[in-house]
Amino acid sequence: MAICTRPASLTAIAKQDCAVNLKQLQRLLLQRYNKVPTFATEAEMKTLAAWEALFDANDDTKVIITPFFQKAVIPSSEAQFGGENSNDTLNGVGTFLGFNPVRLSGEFVGLDSATYEQLDALTAESLAELGVARVTAYPVTADGEILAKGLRGIPGFNFTVGSPGTQGFKSQTVFPFGMSFSADWFKGVSVIKPTFNPLTDLDA
């Protein structure tokens, strides 16, 4: 039987002075997962020079940036229970099984064929059946803030981009895309305000 080891008392929850608002996500900075953190310090992560060096790299540390996208949503994870409302668990309350993974979804608009193919190549880089995260993402908000997990990106899986769809007259040609994250993806995530604008300053 498993033994649940608890601390001597409940862990105090620190006072939070400022609210965190992730706002609208507009682009993704993408990089292969590396065992060594990408940046030495958070201060380094805030500098344009550090990112430019990663864009120029020709190894696993290379960073790329997606085109702008719209309708980006990351749903909240949901608790998963087994045996709820049944005789399988004590009083039918259910057994907590964890939380489900979540999937970022959105739409690229008006991509040309070459850009679509370059995005599509990320699927093979990020397949979940590889067993471990091979690609990390740094989402960029409308305010030019970067979401990072410690000193690297957020591990992700199964990046996909669909073929274009159009509704004809007065409509956009859209390419639905998505990327999955583990249920606890937000643990250890910081919202970084760099000294440059990553929405525009990292384009070639």
Side-chain angles (χ1 to χ4, degrees), residues 6 17-18 22 45 47 53 70-72 80 101 109 116-117 134 139 161 166-167 169 184 188:
R6 301 184 299 170
D17 295 322
C18 299
L22 303 182
M45 190 186 300
T47 66
Q70 62 187 24
K71 295 185 179 181
Q80 306 294 303
V109 178
Y116 166 68
E117 289 184 41
R134 301 294 179 91
V161 57
T166 179
Q167 300 299 316
F169 183 64
D184 62 350

Side-chain angles (χ1 to χ4, degrees), residues 25-151:
L25 305 182
Q26 294 191 350
R27 303 186 82 171
L28 291 177
L29 293 156
L30 298 169
Q31 182 185 42
R32 286 178 176 164
Y33 183 86
N34 292 280
K35 292 182 179 180
V36 178
T38 302
F39 300 93
T41 64
E42 184 177 306
E44 181 187 23
M45 190 186 300
K46 294 180 179 180
T47 66
L48 179 59
W51 287 95
E52 287 179 330
L54 295 171
F55 270 72
D56 291 339
N58 292 310
D59 56 17
D60 286 346
T61 65
K62 184 176 181 64
V63 171
I64 61 175
I65 190 167
T66 69
F68 283 89
F69 47 74
Q70 62 187 24
K71 295 185 179 181
V73 174
I74 301 178
S76 299
S77 58
E78 297 182 4
Q80 306 294 303
F81 296 91
E84 280 190 295
N85 300 312
S86 77
N87 196 45
D88 294 339
T89 57
L90 291 175
N91 301 314
V93 173
T95 301
F96 176 60
L97 302 176
F99 289 90
N100 63 298
V102 296
R103 187 160 179 82
L104 162 68
S105 62
E107 293 178 348
F108 295 111
V109 178
L111 301 178
D112 58 33
S113 179
T115 304
Y116 166 68
E117 289 184 41
Q118 291 161 1
L119 288 166
D120 186 55
L122 292 167
T123 299
E125 291 270 0
S126 60
L127 292 175
E129 55 261 39
L130 295 174
V132 295
R134 301 294 179 91
V135 174
T136 64
Y138 302 83
V140 183
T141 73
D143 291 336
E145 296 170 328
I146 298 172
L147 275 59
K149 196 175 184 76
L151 298 174

